Amino acid sequence: MKDLVIFSLVSNKRLAAKLAKKYDAILGDISIDRFKDGEILVKTLTDCKNKDVIIIESTAIKAHERLFELLLLVDSIKRTGSRSIKLYIPYFGYSRQERVSWINEPISCEVVAKILDTAEVDEILTFDLHHPDIEKFFKTKFTSIPTTHLFADYYRKYLKKENIDIKDVVVVSPDHGANTRADALVASLPGTRKVILNKFRTAPNYAEHLAFEDDVQGKVCIIIDDIIDTGGTIVSAAKLLLEQGAKCVLVGASHAVLSNKNFEKVLDTCIKDLVFTNTIEKRLPRRIHVLDISDDIK
Ligand code: R5P
């Protein structure tokens, strides 16, 4: 498909290269220059005249920089005369600020949506968006692609390999916001049931969970979440599940933000298996598994 050009900027270079190969598309070339005052100049080095364009870029880690790079690249591509532009933002930064949870807070996610609307692309897609309500902030056609099927496949194989009876498995939502994600996994793994934990934050990035009534004695617990950032949420949830008698804790999360450098050490204390998708490209130790989202990018 030589009418298709696939770009990435910083976050998803491997994914873009893989897809360009798969679709026999042109892998777009770009340059990013930095001025002494910190301003940037982003441009396409590939002529996109009459081409359909896919840009893949997660707005992860320094989300605001990634966002601005994207806006400049879209403008540059349009100026070459592209036919259409689809924007894949596999991990959507600022998505956790989708509501006012304290007086005078901004709804940052809505601000980002308004900014992205100004780019006037044909479609914006993301994976496993933090909250479905975010969609309504956009005027541009916007879709969140679920990742449940990837985790369900992974756990079906894992449970078979480890000889675990599905009846001994519970799917855990680490907070009420992740409830529907856990429901979707339970529906894909018939025989499991759901446990919801009560999380409260003592300060930004610090999470604690309250003891719960549900019986997890001897159960294999799969915590399913969208994001692991500091790891505070899953570690606090895993410790509580083990304290309340769980046999072991497995964790699946779509987005490996992983801003905590000591994350691995903490992980060893309470989590038996961890799996992410590749919405954010990271160098991860071999014992952390990664599921590929590329089949859902079309
Ligand atoms: C929160 O609502 C999200 O779904 C994640 O649970 C949270 O962002 C994870 O962050 P951390 O790893 O820092 O606890």
Side-chain angles (χ1 to χ4, degrees):
M1 274 202 282
K2 290 299 179 199
D3 279 350
L4 177 66
V5 188
I6 302 182
F7 287 91
S8 72
L9 275 147
V10 177
S11 309
N12 297 90
K13 289 187 176 170
R14 269 179 278 166
L15 199 53
K18 183 173 181 179
L19 286 160
K21 203 167 169 196
K22 178 174 168 185
Y23 293 127
D24 192 22
I26 299 162
L27 184 60
D29 204 4
I30 59 153
S31 66
I32 305 180
D33 289 309
R34 287 180 198 280
F35 296 100
K36 288 225 160 56
D37 63 355
E39 288 182 4
I40 53 169
L41 176 65
V42 181
K43 65 177 180 188
T44 174
L45 301 175
T46 305
D47 185 7
C48 299
K49 193 168 177 56
N50 294 328
K51 308 269 191 226
D52 296 311
V53 171
I54 291 179
I55 305 174
I56 309 171
E57 182 69 355
S58 282
T59 48
I61 313 283
K62 297 194 181 161
H64 37 287
E65 282 185 30
R66 302 289 86 81
L67 184 65
F68 202 65
E69 287 159 1
L70 258 180
L71 296 172
L72 297 186
L73 180 63
V74 168
D75 190 71
S76 162
I77 290 170
K78 279 187 170 178
R79 285 172 195 284
T80 70
S82 58
R83 186 163 49 199
S84 69
I85 301 182
K86 242 189 211 182
L87 193 56
Y88 278 88
I89 307 181
Y91 168 68
F92 194 93
Y94 283 101
S95 59
R96 284 175 287 177
Q97 297 168 40
E98 95 286 7
R99 66 191 159 94
V100 175
S101 31
W102 197 247
I103 190 163
N104 292 345
E105 273 184 0
I107 302 183
S108 313
C109 186
E110 185 173 11
V111 175
V112 170
K114 282 181 186 158
I115 292 170
L116 281 168
D117 277 338
T118 66
E120 296 185 332
V121 295
D122 296 83
E123 193 176 355
I124 301 174
L125 300 100
T126 188
F127 283 82
D128 193 12
L129 189 61
H130 179 63
H131 197 283
D133 279 358
I134 295 169
E135 228 172 291
K136 70 171 189 282
F137 295 143
F138 284 88
K139 289 200 175 80
T140 311
K141 183 177 178 201
F142 185 87
T143 308
S144 172
I145 303 166
T147 53
T148 309
H149 61 292
L150 297 174
F151 289 107
D153 280 356
Y154 176 81
Y155 285 119
R156 258 181 238 117
K157 286 179 196 145
Y158 183 95
L159 300 176
K160 192 170 176 197
K161 186 176 77 160
E162 299 288 320
N163 235 338
I164 298 169
D165 188 334
I166 197 85
K167 296 209 169 40
D168 292 330
V169 179
V170 294
V171 174
V172 179
S173 175
D175 53 45
H176 285 266
N179 198 7
T180 50
R181 195 171 290 109
D183 282 337
L185 190 60
V186 167
S188 303
L189 295 174
T192 61
R193 65 179 173 87
K194 182 181 70 173
V195 170
I196 309 178
L197 302 187
N198 285 312
K199 178 171 92 173
F200 64 99
R201 288 206 178 271
T202 45
N205 284 143
Y206 289 92
E208 282 181 38
H209 286 88
L210 298 171
F212 57 93
E213 294 294 314
D214 225 310
D215 182 15
V216 291
Q217 191 68 41
K219 298 290 180 197
V220 173
C221 295
I222 302 176
I223 303 178
I224 189 83
D225 208 354
D226 56 339
I227 300 165
I228 297 182
D229 183 355
T230 62
T233 297
I234 51 150
V235 168
S236 150
K239 284 184 174 162
L240 180 62
L241 289 162
L242 292 171
E243 269 166 35
Q244 295 204 198
K247 184 176 176 194
C248 64
V249 176
L250 320 174
V251 175
S254 296
H255 311 294
V257 173
L258 300 185
S259 59
N260 177 359
K261 300 234 168 357
N262 293 323
F263 175 69
E264 238 195 292
K265 278 190 202 151
V266 186
L267 182 76
D268 285 334
T269 61
C270 53
I271 292 158
K272 189 172 175 205
D273 185 76
L274 176 60
V275 57
F276 290 107
T277 75
N278 57 348
T279 56
I280 299 173
E281 286 174 9
K282 279 257 153 89
R283 254 177 222 274
L284 293 171
R286 285 175 74 85
R287 77 180 196 84
I288 298 179
H289 304 103
V290 179
L291 309 175
D292 185 14
I293 57 166
S294 63
D295 281 347
D296 288 306
I297 299 182
K298 291 166 184 139

